[in-house]
Amino acid sequence: VKNKGTLTFISAEEYISDNMFVQPKENYKYIKLDFTAINTVSKEKYFCWDFTCYADDTKCDRNYLADNDLYVGDNIGAGRKVSGSVIFEVPIEATHIEVEYAPDYNTIIKFIVQ
């Protein structure tokens, strides 16, 4: 991300909640995506965690189950990094899943999950 640093997609996997009261809707599952952000500029920068998921072109709900959830944003010092996860609820039968990251109002970065 220009003038901000880098965001690297690390992995994606199904997420199984161990809380019996927090489960996906019928015919849905949770997916967890792991990212690492590095501030590559010479001063502290604010990283906004604006992620949106689409399964077969339909917007999916985000769930805040991860212990290291990338929620709202983080100030990251020069040369420092932060790692975390985002979790979305997607249809089990989805054939195409994309997650979009918007580091600012003019940029959208797409990650193809499936």
Side-chain angles (χ1 to χ4, degrees):
V1 180
K2 186 178 179 184
N3 297 326
K4 292 268 187 180
T6 62
L7 179 69
T8 303
F9 172 66
I10 304 299
S11 65
E13 63 186 4
E14 185 173 353
Y15 178 83
I16 307 296
S17 172
D18 59 1
N19 182 333
M20 65 185 275
F21 300 107
V22 182
Q23 296 295 317
K25 298 179 284 207
E26 187 175 340
N27 298 318
Y28 281 72
K29 65 181 178 180
Y30 293 132
I31 58 165
K32 181 178 79 140
L33 293 86
D34 296 315
F35 293 91
T36 296
I38 302 172
N39 180 358
T40 58
V41 298
S42 60
K43 60 183 179 178
E44 183 177 84
K45 286 289 186 181
Y46 179 77
F47 282 71
C48 177
W49 306 125
D50 188 6
F51 292 93
T52 306
C53 179
Y54 295 92
D56 296 331
D57 296 322
T58 301
K59 188 174 179 181
C60 298
D61 292 332
R62 184 165 176 189
N63 198 302
Y64 301 92
L65 295 169
D67 291 335
N68 60 344
D69 190 80
L70 294 175
Y71 176 70
V72 182
D74 285 304
N75 285 316
I76 302 175
R80 305 286 186 179
K81 68 180 177 179
V82 64
S83 295
S85 303
V86 292
I87 296 175
F88 292 98
E89 187 174 34
V90 301
I92 292 170
E93 301 297 322
T95 58
H96 184 76
I97 301 171
E98 288 184 359
V99 172
E100 295 180 351
Y101 171 65
D104 57 51
Y105 294 111
N106 300 315
T107 308
I108 293 178
I109 301 166
K110 292 182 182 182
F111 299 92
I112 308 301
V113 179
Q114 174 178 311

